[in-house]
Amino acid sequence: MAEPLVYILILNYRAWQDTVACLGALEQLEYPNYRVLVLDNASDNDSVARIRAAFPGVEVLELERNLGFAGGNNVGIRRALAEGAAYVWLLNPDTLPDARALAAMVEQAQQDAQIGAVGSVLYEMNRPEQVQAWGGGEVVWPWGLIRLLNHPRQAARLTYLSGASLLLRRAALERVGLLDEGFFMYGEDADLGLRLLKSGFKLAVAAGSRVWHRGGTSWQGSLSADEQFAAYNTRLLRKHAPWPWLAVLGYGSFWLAEYALRRRWDKIGALWRGIGRGWRLPIAPEPDGLSDQATPP
């Protein structure tokens, strides 16, 4: 039988250098049936021109405004499903996938129809043998602890797969719906993982899918990123935690201690602003599969 069609979505925002490098790595994929779609999230630089010049055969879809990670990828997911894709691979532009990365994920998914999503083993870009995440991480109730896992023996504890490299089964998307666009950045992959598990799907990691990822931890970023990180993780805990107040308190206490140990008092302010904002963000009722989603643009 022919290999199932996979749509590869790369969401670019200003980072054309990373996107071009990622597209170069994709040319080495050992999988015969895929299409690549680059979605540009209204970059205010020359990203689109640079990407098209480097890869004129790759379709680049320009979005009219920045829709965030969830909204931007949802445009591509709708296109992929309309074109008959069996799987959709969300791939960050700041990644370099191994030649076997996609084939290994599809092989893993094909073993069990109840697998709703498959992740890769993510490695640090600047330390190529250092595992960044074994597929994804876990959300620990009731304390609101959100952490990456980095060893195969922890795989049974996975509650979400990282959006840096995430293969999604068509049937799973049709049942649980698309990414929640209430998460502009951060938290959307954890939310989707929790929804998949709640709907009876399994999460899996393909050990043979190796992807190098540049992404780092929140405390290394800007104060704006720290505030966003806290806001959307707070929204995640409000949406899913059995006891939201307790989960948010635990989450805030963890990061307060983390920043205090590093003497990053400025980041403590960003943390509390983010938590306050996250507590006010609206949470819409969960859609009942794709029947309640908007139609493709």
Side-chain angles (χ1 to χ4, degrees), residues 40-87:
D40 185 77
N41 231 345
S43 296
D44 55 5
N45 61 6
D46 58 351
S47 279
V48 171
R50 295 276 192 167
I51 295 167
R52 285 176 172 160
F55 290 91
V58 173
E59 182 180 5
V60 180
L61 182 60
E62 298 180 68
L63 305 181
E64 294 183 357
R65 60 186 178 87
N66 186 348
L67 300 176
F69 182 89
N73 274 305
N74 279 348
V75 172
I77 292 172
R78 293 186 184 102
R79 163 75 74 83
L81 298 183
E83 295 292 327
Y87 295 97

Side-chain angles (χ1 to χ4, degrees), residues 88-288:
V88 181
W89 185 16
L90 307 186
L91 187 64
N92 272 15
D94 61 341
T95 60
L96 295 175
D98 181 76
R100 283 274 305 159
L102 177 55
M105 285 194 293
V106 173
E107 290 167 7
Q108 185 78 33
Q110 292 289 87
Q111 293 177 14
D112 185 349
Q114 286 305 112
I115 294 176
V118 181
S120 302
V121 183
L122 300 176
Y123 293 84
E124 297 284 355
M125 188 76 78
N126 60 351
R127 290 179 292 166
E129 296 306 315
Q130 176 67 43
V131 174
Q132 184 183 93
W134 191 267
E138 65 177 335
V139 183
V140 181
W141 312 120
W143 310 114
L145 181 60
I146 305 169
R147 60 185 176 191
L148 292 172
L149 303 176
N150 56 22
H151 196 278
R153 65 172 175 265
Q154 299 173 312
R157 289 159 45 189
L158 282 168
T159 52
Y160 72 93
L161 297 169
S162 171
S165 176
L166 177 58
L167 186 76
L168 297 168
R169 184 186 295 274
R170 180 189 188 93
L173 289 166
E174 290 175 338
R175 185 184 303 178
V176 306
L178 306 185
L179 296 166
D180 181 347
E181 296 183 18
F183 297 97
F184 186 80
M185 60 186 299
Y186 305 120
E188 60 285 294
D189 50 3
D191 171 73
L192 182 59
L194 291 166
R195 286 159 51 203
L196 287 167
L197 292 173
K198 182 179 178 181
S199 295
F201 284 104
K202 302 174 185 177
L203 306 179
V205 180
S209 179
R210 293 159 54 91
V211 174
W212 285 266
H213 180 218
R214 195 189 313 281
T217 55
S218 172
W219 61 267
Q220 295 173 318
S222 66
L223 292 181
S224 176
D226 292 319
E227 185 174 333
Q228 296 262 42
F229 186 76
Y232 290 110
N233 281 326
T234 296
R235 183 179 185 271
L236 175 77
L237 298 173
R238 287 177 52 222
K239 182 175 178 180
H240 293 283
W243 302 283
W245 274 105
L246 182 59
V248 173
L249 178 63
Y251 173 85
S253 299
F254 171 84
W255 282 104
L256 176 63
E258 177 80 13
Y259 293 147
L261 285 172
R262 300 179 184 278
R263 299 183 182 277
R264 294 305 309 267
W265 315 119
D266 54 342
K267 290 184 178 288
I268 291 176
L271 169 69
W272 293 122
R273 289 193 301 274
I275 290 175
R277 178 183 163 203
W279 199 262
R280 297 188 298 272
L281 288 171
I283 299 176
E286 205 67 72
D288 183 18

